Amino acid sequence: QRYQPVPMPSTLAGRNSAEEKVLTIDTINPKVKNVQYAVRGELAIKAEELKAKLTQGAKDLPFSTIVNCNIGNPQQLKQPPITFFRQVAALTEYPELLKPEHEALVSQLFPDDAVRRARELLASAGNAIGAYSHSQGIQTIREHVAEFIEARDGFPANPNDIYLTAGASTGVQQILQLLISSDHVGVMIPIPQYPLYTASLALFDAHPVPYYLDESKEWSMDLPGLERSLRRARSNGIDVRALVIINPGNPTGQCLIEENMREVIEFCYSNKLVLLADEVYQTNVYYPEQRPFHSFKKMVRSARPEIRDNLELISFHSISKGVVGECGRRGGYFECVNLDDAVMGQVYKMASVNLCPNVQGQLLVDLMVRPPVQGDASYPLYRQETQGIYDSLKRRSQKLSKAFNEMEGITCNSAEGAMYVFPQIQLPAKAVKAAEQVGKKPDDFYCLRMLDATGVCVIPGSGFGQKDGTYHFRSTFLPPENLFDTFIANLKTFHHQFMQEYS
Ligand SMILES: Cc1ncc(COP(=O)(O)O)c(CN[C@@H]2CONC2=O)c1O
């Protein structure tokens, strides 16, 4: 027996004919359609199509592999995981191994500190890592995060102010949702910026209020520019409530100096802006003597009492970056500073709606903030692995920025931090015209041609924002070091041919 359909009032959007879909590109949430996320946009999609062709045996491409330099995804580019982390994770995944009857076998395969840590983490998760955890994340792990923050900054941290998250992304979106109370709300974001922010602001129907980083001054923050941007937005009726800082920067790689940071917290306090400090690259700092990482938590707690005790700050961290690179495991945290108690209650409530962050990611957060120390059985290998990854990242960052600076029409700031370089390219007028003729932005056009010629997938600067009339692209420096010279040679060959073609 067929159901008699409930009459569709004429006032509602037509779904009268049976074959018409409920969900069409015209009926879904328009804010979803406004979202752009270039890191996995056109270039990445095309790279996946080419990768599929190669997998199917295509021989008509001028390359045999795709090199994904579009995303800071180290283990996709063969960076090995940290042995200790995976040993502990393996033991927590199959607690049977921790039973006395397996002790002889396990002791041959796992160092005793890995076994000990696995037992501790299992106990902290109620010996059930398949169960939902506390909505903020496992208490013991949040205590360890607080200890990590205190040791890093020299100021107290409270585990109750810390939320473990399935990657920093979800934490950023949770906080932005809290902030965006109407479609008049604006959030200041750096240009260029990591497009999680513009994507999320589009989704939550808020105004991105851009401030431009100064490429001529190693992508430093330009306070007069911040003032102008804020004044313009507020005079247009935008309720600007927060300022996002990514430090070290993505895609720009800059590491802010303390003076700049102090100016920023004064700016935020004077203008009543919540400071969102995205610090996921805090251990990807390659010149710590000249440009050490300072957390905004430390800067706020070191400031005069009015700022120390009142500036609202949320800081984000992740297991996806650094030398850990456990992107797919989805782990991270945010720390709330000087937030109103009732608002903290709402943060908790919203974390509860999602029940809990994934537990495997939480365990990795614990390992990231509490790694093996001198005297632990695993420390020598841990130290060797992490130092090796760090040194290699630094070498590759230097090699790649040097290579781009040797290419005609390209200038590239060195990467003081993070995992990317963001070179500026002076495209010949003929190339700009050729791009327009095929309906592409000039830097998109250049990157597509690079992909077609080399299999290397980078992201056009248009995906991150850039000053009008300038063209950039972002590349990671993650390709394996033993392939790096070939990688660079291919880029140089392509670039030379491209510039010849359009000179
Ligand atoms: C500045 C910044 N914040 C947050 C994130 C999100 O990290 P989670 O993995 O913890 O959610 C990223 C990821 N970096 C993206 C992903 O790879 N390349 C990028 O530019 C990032 O670069």
Side-chain angles (χ1 to χ4, degrees), residues 406-417:
E406 289 166 353
M407 295 183 196
E408 178 195 353
I410 293 185
T411 53
C412 185
N413 282 334
S414 65
E416 295 162 355

Side-chain angles (χ1 to χ4, degrees), residues 71-72 167-169 194 246 250 278 281 318 320-321 330 420 474:
I71 187 167
S169 303
Y194 169 51
I246 305 172
N250 172 8
D278 183 327
Y281 297 101
S318 169
S320 297
K321 308 303 174 184
R330 312 309 291 133
Y420 318 95
R474 186 194 81 169

